[in-house]
Each structure stands twice: as structure tokens, then as C-alpha cells.
Amino acid sequence: MIGARTREDAMNRLAKETSPYLLQHRENPVDWWPWGEEALAEARRQNKPILLSVGYAACHWCHVMAHESFEDPATARVMNELFVNIKVDREERPDIDFIYMSVLQTLGEQGGWPLTMFLTPDAEPFWGGTYFPRESRFGRPAFVTVLKEIARLFAEEPDRVEHNRRAIAAALATRPETGPSFGEGTLLQLTERLARAIDPVNGGLPGAPKFPNPPLIELLWRRAARKDDLRPFLLTLERMARGGIHDHLGGGFARYAVDERWLVPHFEKMLYDNAQLLELYALAAHVSADPLYTDAADGIVAWLSREMALPGGAFAASLDADSEGEEGRFYVWTAEEIEDVLEEDAAFFAAHYDVSPSGNWEGKVILNRLAALPATAEEEQRLLVLRQRLLARRAERIAPGRDDKVLADWNGLTIAALARAALLLRRPQWLSLADRAYCFISESMCQSGQFGHSWRDGRLVFPGMASDQTAMARAALALYEATGKKAYLDDAREWTDTAESRYLTEDGILAMADGAARDVILRPKPTHDDAVPNANGMHAENLQRLAALSGEPADQIKADRFLDNLLAHAGQAPLAHATALNALDFRLSGSAIAVVGPEGDSLLATARAVPYPNRTVADLTRDGIAGHPDIARSVPPGSTAAFVCRGSACSAPVTEPDRLTDLL
């Protein structure tokens, strides 16, 4: 029988954790443990099943389940009596999240958060789900009913538990079949298939919900270089920028849209989405005269600087979807509120931003420009002033919570995006933002060449992830290509070597976590992209860029061997491996632009203005920089020239910027 239990009796152990998500639960009457050997040992000691709850700070339904169940003393009593309860921040331990989310999907369930898994005392899963309501509804059983039935099965029907455990373990151990080899023809077929799949009206993949999928959008850009057809690429970015997923006042993009038109966002804002979209909007602005794309990129950086930059220079992880207990409350309006702020200008603004008394979402207004009402340059300037007035009024509201932990991989994506967009949009000040974040991550989160994954309040969390190594190496390469500073290139080489020494497995691909992580039941080795580009895809790109920069045949052989092996793993679901396909496209059509000599500034500027997807820039104008020694020897001392190298062949020396532009 479950006895009475008071808050004072509970042994919640989350108060000393670094994760803002875990700290949100430190006052729960649940006997929460953080993940670790101590919690697992306690489950074995008591021979109790484990209730594993995985979520993240900006997760709306995580908050709902917390308010309904984890803050409820009666529910907590059942949890405490029957289970050892472990809480995990999926952003802090993505390896744990990946393992048990994979389990959920093998059970035929749709993935999502909160993730609720039931494990044996040895942390082996046997059943699970996502959100469970406190009371039965929507065809889902009440959470307490689930808890009692799982505990009963564990105690009274161990054979059923063991059957499930074995079936799940077998499914997790199954290696995916390798696919056919990839080349130019295969890549063309895949990009054409992707282009045909794009929603011809709204862009993006058809249906709802609609996610940005940045690696796929980049693949559309790469297709355009072959097909001279930018429409699928530009259409997707245009509709997103016009939609409600875009914060038209404060800049930046929400995680995804719940509808097929990009109108209604799931209001959380994630650093990784905005980093990847910044690169893409800079590319779009480079090829389109429509200021929509430039404005979207500028808005992302304004948001990063205003709301996400931390005192040390790095960027926070996310902003919550909720404020004052309601999803989207901070971002939505009523027509009356807009009239109160804009007065005689309200009608003009309303015509452009879909403002009406009845609203466009649950009686409220989500600002958007999906109707694409034409506006002159003067009208756009007037709208800018009105948006600034509304932004100032919005700043008086209670803001969503910010998850201020620093994640090395997400910051690496942001640093690279700032560096690349700075060149395309001629925003040199963005390089300073990138460098500040880079200095913080490399100095505060890196030990002996290996990154910890998460930092907060002076505490660095290990194990590090392969994505930390590869994203920061990618950031170092982007900064080197933008500035020519050799220290960045040296870091990229060191961190790439560390990725292989610490994460490379016998399968020839990178594992997700360091092999030193002993608190998990297996070492996951995913190759497909998730919300963040897969570490293997990023590593493939880094190796290709390093090979292009060095000009050394051995480097190219190593890069090609890794890419071939990765693409074999991509065969069953190639478009889920868009980052790997983008690395393949770089290998097939990328160029290394090497500039040699003391007067190379104008040639370097021309080279750096070329969009980043299919070029690297080797600055050989400075003393002590090694790279392409054959090229350097082919130029007389004191002369300046550029060379465009593709594969093992390089152009004749080019001495005039206009000629280099023509050649590129």
C-alpha cells in the first residue's frame, strides 16, 4: 500500500544541477535523481523499475506534464513508492535521449517530448511513451494508471518484461543495411526528387507540421547550381520569412509551424535553428534583390545580440514557448492592443500584417505577411518604425524563460553562420560576435583538445559529443576562410584529429558520445540528421575542406574514404542524410581558392564574396602559412596571384580581381 508522504519527506536531488530544465523540477515532490551511476545503483539496490523522464527547458508539453503530474503530491507519492525516478535534459545528454527515443520508435510510437520511458534496474528499456495526462483523455490513459500497471507487470509478470526487454535490445543491436555507392548521377536524382517534393505553394516539405530542415534547403541551393533553378530554395525561405514562424518584431524563427502555411508557430526559439537559417538567408540575399531575405538575416543577428548573447560572448540555448503559463502569450496580439500602440497608423499596419478583430489564431493575432501585400520602399520604412514601436511595447511584457546553458555544438553552428553571413552580406561586425563566442567556447569548454558538451555557471559537463568537436572544427574553418588567421586553421585540424581519436568506431563512423561514457547501455552511432546536423556529416565536410586547403593527396584520400563509408550508411534513407550529401556535393564541385603574395587583399575579398557552400579560401599571403606548397613555389617571390583548384588540378595564376570573378 502506498503510504502518505509529505514534501519534507521527499528526496529531490536536482537543486545542485546545472541544467535549467532540471532546476525547473527541483521543487517537485518527486524523488528525482539526475542521471548517473548513483541513481542506477539505487535502482539495482531496491530492485525497482526506473521511470526516466526526458525533456528540455523550452518544451511546452514538458511543462504541461510537470504542472499536471510532477507538481501533484498524490501523483508524486505513486512515483516515489513504485519507481526510481530519473530526470534528464535531452540537450545536456543527447546520447541518452537518442537511445531511449530510438526505443520508443521501435515500439511503434511517434517520438516527442516529454519522453517517458520505463527501464529495468539495469537501465534496459521495456516500455514507454511521451506525454501522459493526469486524468484519462484524448484516448490516453491517466498517468497514475500507467504507473501502477507498469509496476504490477514488473512485479508479477517478469516474463513479459523480459520478452519486451529482449525484443528492444535486439532491435537496437540491428545494424542498418548499407546502400549503393553515391556519385554525381545519384546526387542529381536525389536533388531532383527533393525539388519535386517541395510544396509548390508554401515551400518546404508538404503537410503539417512544417519544420525548416536547413540541410535539405541547402541541398536545394546546391541543386540550383546545376539546374539554374532557385525557385524551390527561395520559395521555402520566402514563405517562412513571411509566415508567423518568423518573429517580425524581434527577429529570429520559432522551432516549427503547426500548420502547412508557416502561420502558427510552436513558439519556442532554438539557437540551432536560427544559426542554420542565418546561413541560408544570407545565401538567398546574395542571389535575390528582394530585401526580405536580408531583413530576415539581420533580424536573426539582432535577436542573437539582444536576447541570446551571454556575458562571456557565447549564446544561450533557447527561449521558452510559454510565458505566464500560456504558450505564445509573449508574441501574440489583439487588434485593440495594436491600435493602442500605433493609433492612427494601426489600420495601415493591420493591412500588411494580417491584423483583424477576430484574429487568426484562437482569437489572437500572429503577425505575418503571408498575403504579400506590395509595399513601396517608403512604406517599408514606415512599417519598420511601427514594428519598432510594437517591439518596445512587447518588451514590457513578462518574457519567456531563457535556457542559459552554453552548448558547444549549437554555438559552433552559430559561429560558423555569423562568419559566413558576414562575408555574404558585408557585415564585418558579425565577425566580432563570432570571434567572441569562439574564444569563450575554445577557452572555457575545451580540455586537451576535447570539448565538454554543456557549460553553465562555471561548470563544464562531460561527456562531450562528437557534434561538439565537429561543429567547432567547422566554426574554426569558417573563421579561417573569413579572416585568414592561421590559429583558426590550426584549431580546426587539432579538433578534427580529436574527433577521430575519441569518437571514431570500428564501423568507420563517429559515435555520438565519447567511449569514456560508461553510464549508458550502448554507444549510439547515428548518421542521419536531426534538428542539428549529424556529426558524421559535419566531419565529412570538415575533412573535405581541410583537404582542399592543404592540397595534400593523403588528406584527400582520407577525406574520401570517410565520406564513402558514411554514404554507404546513408543508403536506406539518403535524404535524411542531407548534411552528408552536401559534403558529397562539395567534393564533386567545390573549389579551393588560394591567394599567394603580399598584395592579395583585393583577390581575397573577391574569393570570400563567393558563397560558402562550394568554396574554401586559403590565405597564403602571410609569412609562415603552410599550404599548397607547389602553388607557392610557382609564383616568383614578391608576386601576388590567385589559383582556383578543383580536385587535383589548379588554374593558371590570376592577378586581377575581375578575372578571378569571371573564372569563378
Side-chain angles (χ1 to χ4, degrees):
M1 173 152 179
I2 298 171
R5 192 177 177 96
T6 67
R7 174 68 188 93
E8 289 71 22
D9 295 327
M11 292 291 291
N12 189 313
R13 299 162 183 82
L14 302 183
K16 295 182 180 180
E17 293 302 303
T18 60
S19 159
Y21 174 65
L22 268 57
L23 292 173
Q24 288 173 357
H25 294 270
R26 66 184 181 272
E27 297 297 330
N28 293 168
V30 177
D31 291 355
W32 287 121
W33 294 78
W35 182 274
E37 185 51 43
E38 188 178 1
L40 301 177
E42 181 66 14
R44 292 191 294 268
R45 185 185 71 80
Q46 294 193 50
N47 192 32
K48 277 186 177 181
I50 294 168
L51 190 162
L52 174 65
S53 176
V54 183
Y56 57 104
C59 169
H60 170 69
W61 285 102
C62 299
H63 299 329
V64 173
M65 191 166 179
H67 295 323
E68 289 182 347
S69 296
F70 304 150
E71 296 173 7
D72 175 55
T75 303
R77 280 196 296 271
V78 179
M79 295 172 65
N80 296 336
E81 183 72 19
L82 301 178
F83 297 90
V84 170
N85 303 289
I86 302 179
K87 177 64 74 173
V88 168
D89 181 343
R90 67 173 292 258
E91 296 168 358
E92 194 172 75
R93 288 299 301 267
D95 55 334
I96 294 171
D97 176 63
F98 179 84
I99 290 169
Y100 294 107
M101 187 62 73
S102 299
V103 168
L104 186 66
Q105 291 163 348
T106 68
L107 294 172
E109 295 279 340
Q110 183 176 357
W113 296 273
L115 173 62
T116 307
M117 292 301 301
F118 297 96
L119 321 178
T120 70
D122 292 320
E124 296 183 290
F126 62 91
W127 198 73
T130 53
Y131 162 77
F132 291 99
R134 184 168 62 182
E135 299 174 355
S136 178
R137 63 178 185 272
F138 311 133
R140 299 188 69 83
F143 188 44
V144 167
T145 302
V146 171
L147 296 174
K148 291 180 178 179
E149 178 60 13
I150 291 294
R152 187 196 67 78
L153 286 171
F154 183 80
E156 299 176 9
E157 300 187 43
D159 290 346
R160 287 185 62 185
V161 171
E162 178 63 11
H163 173 79
N164 274 19
R165 185 200 68 77
R166 287 178 179 273
I168 290 169
L172 291 177
T174 301
R175 294 191 178 190
E177 296 180 16
T178 57
S181 61
F182 282 73
E184 181 83 30
T186 310
L187 187 62
L188 283 171
Q189 291 174 6
L190 288 170
T191 55
E192 283 307 299
R193 192 172 109 200
L194 174 61
R196 289 194 299 271
I198 295 300
D199 183 333
V201 176
N202 300 303
L205 296 176
K210 252 179 159 52
F211 287 84
N213 292 314
L216 287 176
I217 301 176
E218 181 179 324
L219 199 57
L220 290 172
W221 162 272
R222 293 174 179 278
R223 169 188 174 272
R226 291 177 166 84
K227 300 290 291 187
D228 194 24
D229 176 19
L230 280 164
R231 177 173 164 74
F233 170 79
L234 290 177
L235 174 66
T236 298
L237 293 175
E238 178 214 340
R239 300 311 291 173
M240 285 176 55
R242 294 191 181 282
I245 191 176
H246 184 201
D247 182 353
H248 291 265
L249 302 183
F253 288 77
R255 177 70 192 93
Y256 63 89
V258 302
D259 65 303
E260 74 283 355
R261 298 176 55 231
W262 306 106
L263 172 62
V264 181
H266 185 42
F267 289 90
E268 65 198 39
K269 282 184 177 180
M270 314 302 292
L271 181 64
Y272 58 77
D273 286 315
N274 285 281
Q276 296 173 84
L277 289 172
L278 173 58
E279 291 187 359
L280 296 172
Y281 277 104
L283 283 174
H286 183 78
V287 297
S288 172
D290 191 336
L292 178 76
Y293 305 108
T294 304
D295 291 346
D298 284 334
I300 291 172
V301 179
W303 170 72
L304 288 172
S305 302
R306 185 183 64 251
E307 300 184 37
M308 303 302 284
L310 298 171
F315 296 98
S318 65
L319 293 182
D320 207 328
D322 298 11
S323 57
E324 301 182 73
E326 293 182 22
E327 184 181 8
R329 183 182 180 93
F330 182 73
Y331 298 101
V332 300
W333 297 82
T334 65
E336 292 78 9
E337 288 172 325
I338 290 174
E339 289 171 4
D340 180 58
V341 177
L342 301 184
E343 299 174 332
E344 68 275 5
D345 294 312
F348 169 72
F349 184 86
H352 287 272
Y353 281 91
D354 191 21
V355 179
S356 67
S358 60
N360 53 27
W361 177 67
E362 297 183 357
K364 301 294 180 64
V365 173
I366 297 172
L367 299 178
N368 72 89
R369 300 188 73 174
L370 287 169
L373 189 68
T376 65
E378 292 77 13
E379 288 173 330
E380 288 292 354
Q381 185 60 36
R382 183 182 172 192
L383 289 168
L384 171 61
V385 172
L386 299 180
R387 291 198 303 270
Q388 291 171 340
R389 287 166 60 183
L390 287 170
L391 179 62
R393 175 64 64 88
R394 194 178 79 178
E396 299 172 3
R397 299 174 176 175
I398 296 175
R402 182 175 71 173
D403 185 332
D404 61 355
K405 67 176 176 285
V406 177
L407 298 174
D409 51 358
W410 297 8
N411 272 265
L413 294 175
T414 308
I415 293 162
L418 286 165
R420 290 170 167 179
L423 299 182
L424 289 172
L425 299 183
R426 295 182 174 85
R427 304 285 195 274
Q429 67 275 21
W430 293 359
L431 287 174
S432 298
L433 284 174
D435 184 67
R436 286 191 70 224
Y438 183 90
C439 289
F440 180 90
I441 305 298
S442 59
E443 293 170 7
S444 299
M445 299 185 67
C446 190
Q447 297 178 2
S448 301
Q450 184 183 20
F451 288 93
H453 180 59
S454 176
W455 181 98
R456 187 174 183 271
D457 286 346
R459 295 168 63 186
L460 180 60
V461 176
F462 278 91
M465 300 292 146
S467 57
D468 301 317
Q469 291 293 134
T470 56
M472 282 302 298
R474 181 175 178 270
L477 283 167
L479 280 169
Y480 169 71
E481 291 171 350
T483 67
K485 294 180 181 178
K486 183 175 180 291
Y488 293 131
L489 183 57
D490 291 342
D491 284 347
R493 286 173 172 152
E494 178 187 0
W495 297 340
T496 298
D497 288 344
T498 302
E500 300 214 331
S501 66
R502 303 293 304 211
Y503 299 95
L504 195 65
T505 70
E506 68 281 359
D507 295 330
I509 57 173
L510 304 182
M512 193 172 189
D514 187 343
R518 305 297 184 190
D519 58 356
V520 290
I521 60 172
L522 58 88
R523 194 180 183 198
K525 296 177 282 188
T527 57
H528 61 273
D529 293 321
D530 202 341
V532 176
N534 183 268
N536 284 282
M538 289 191 286
H539 188 59
E541 177 195 343
N542 293 341
L543 288 173
Q544 292 294 337
R545 287 184 180 272
L546 286 168
L549 288 167
S550 75
E552 294 288 351
D555 289 345
Q556 192 63 66
I557 291 170
K558 176 182 176 181
D560 289 348
R561 184 182 298 119
F562 182 84
L563 180 58
D564 285 344
N565 190 48
L566 173 59
L567 290 170
H569 286 79
Q572 297 302 307
L575 289 178
H577 293 73
T579 300
L581 296 178
N582 288 327
L584 172 62
D585 184 71
F586 179 87
R587 175 66 178 97
L588 295 172
S589 57
S591 300
I593 309 166
V595 179
V596 182
E599 304 296 329
D601 286 353
S602 59
L603 290 170
L604 282 169
T606 299
R608 289 170 179 153
V610 176
Y612 65 84
N614 278 333
R615 66 101 179 101
T616 63
V617 180
D619 181 354
L620 308 183
T621 64
R622 303 166 188 234
D623 291 338
I625 293 184
H628 281 294
D630 293 338
I631 291 177
R633 284 194 295 269
S634 71
V635 179
S639 299
T640 297
F643 298 81
V644 179
C645 303
R646 294 187 176 93
S648 59
C650 295
S651 70
V654 179
T655 57
E656 297 296 329
D658 289 347
R659 174 73 184 100
L660 180 59
T661 299
D662 293 341
L663 183 61
L664 294 170

